[in-house]
Amino acid sequence: MTLLALLASCSGGSAATTAPLGPADVQRFLAVKEATDNLTRVVQLIATADATEAQLETRRPGSPAVTALLAGLKLGWNNAAVGANAFTPAQAAVVPGLTQLILGTKSLSSAWQNAIDALGTGHAPVSFTGAFARPRKLELTNRALLRKTAATLTRMACSLERAHTELVPAGAAATDCAAASALSAGS
């Protein structure tokens, strides 16, 4: 119903619109915005898992606090995988590289969970550096995918918002285009 209301409100046109707005444009806009929301959530979930891992690094292996932190770390990476599952096929069809990001995030989550499970075999490591070497390496690759996908999404939002100003509040296109420029410069 929301899509129909948006189409109806936009069908009258706008002097600021540079191209006619059709249902495919609205669907693309919605897919980009929903993918942006999902990506934001996944980034936050990964940041939370990383913060838990950073706390874990400051603890002595085998201590009671480590057990709780390992459980939290495993839950954090499970949540990141669940967040990756929130992306839809429609979003993946519209956003280049999104499928690779989803698969990479799921693989990364599995690597972290497997490394955590390996610690449960009864042998406390001297440090977590060696135990977490593989997932940390995979995380560097996934961060590159996150940055690239974020830059792609902001460029897409900028382009859609400039072409169809009636889709967003005044000033939103300028903000998103500035974010796209900053992300593109950092990629």
Side-chain angles (χ1 to χ4, degrees):
M1 186 65 187
T2 304
L3 178 60
L4 292 175
L6 182 59
L7 282 173
S9 70
C10 295
S11 64
S14 168
T17 301
T18 59
L21 180 64
D25 298 314
V26 174
Q27 290 294 341
R28 184 174 177 83
F29 178 79
L30 291 173
V32 167
K33 288 301 190 179
E34 289 168 351
T36 300
D37 290 345
N38 288 347
L39 183 62
T40 300
R41 197 169 18 266
V42 168
V43 167
Q44 290 170 343
L45 291 167
I46 290 172
T48 300
D50 284 345
T52 303
E53 196 264 332
Q55 286 182 347
L56 185 62
E57 290 290 330
T58 66
R59 308 296 174 155
R60 182 180 51 81
S63 69
V66 165
T67 302
L69 286 168
L70 284 171
L73 182 60
K74 187 167 183 170
L75 178 62
W77 281 107
N78 182 65
N79 288 340
V82 169
N85 286 334
F87 290 102
T88 66
Q91 294 165 4
V94 170
V95 181
L98 185 57
T99 300
Q100 292 81 5
L101 174 66
I102 294 165
L103 294 174
T105 300
K106 289 179 180 182
S107 176
L108 176 60
S109 174
S110 292
W112 271 106
Q113 291 184 37
N114 290 339
I116 295 163
D117 287 345
L119 293 175
T121 60
H123 297 29
V126 175
S127 77
F128 293 106
T129 303
F132 296 147
R134 181 175 182 273
R136 282 188 184 132
K137 184 177 179 182
L138 287 174
E139 193 164 353
L140 292 175
T141 301
N142 203 62
R143 284 185 185 182
L145 288 170
L146 284 168
R147 279 191 301 276
K148 183 177 178 181
T149 304
T152 297
L153 279 168
T154 54
R155 280 191 307 271
M156 291 176 78
C158 173
S159 175
L160 286 165
E161 290 166 2
R162 280 186 173 161
H164 304 288
T165 57
E166 70 275 24
L167 290 174
V168 293
T175 301
D176 286 343
C177 291
S181 178
L183 282 169
S184 293
S187 297

